[in-house]
Amino acid sequence: MGNLLQAFRDKPKQWDAWNIDEDFEKEHWDLDKADEVTLVESGPLRAILRVKNHFQNSTLCATSR
């Protein structure tokens, strides 16, 4: 299995910009199903994939070589 993209809720108890609470992993989402996977390039030495996903109001796009 490859990498797993996850999203976490950020509700800090004290400071809002630079700390990570020890229980941050309690509420999270695994983004393990792609909306779209496209073969961008396929050659004798390499292939490039583009993976698109969404979470709430955001769209995520990653290119893999």
Side-chain angles (χ1 to χ4, degrees), residues 14-55:
Q14 284 187 309
W15 302 281
D16 61 352
W18 52 271
N19 72 315
I20 299 174
D21 294 329
E22 61 186 34
D23 63 347
F24 81 98
E25 291 180 303
K26 285 184 179 178
E27 191 169 0
H28 72 278
W29 298 265
D30 292 344
L31 307 178
D32 57 355
K33 292 179 179 55
D35 295 333
E36 181 181 327
V37 178
T38 306
L39 181 62
V40 176
E41 180 182 325
S42 178
L45 299 178
R46 72 175 186 176
I48 298 176
L49 293 175
R50 179 173 296 126
V51 180
K52 288 186 180 179
N53 204 334
H54 76 281
F55 179 69

Side-chain angles (χ1 to χ4, degrees), residues 2-19:
N3 295 330
L4 174 61
L5 181 62
Q6 294 180 313
F8 295 88
R9 181 172 305 279
D10 183 19
K11 292 277 192 170
K13 294 178 177 94
Q14 284 187 309
W15 302 281
D16 61 352
W18 52 271
N19 72 315

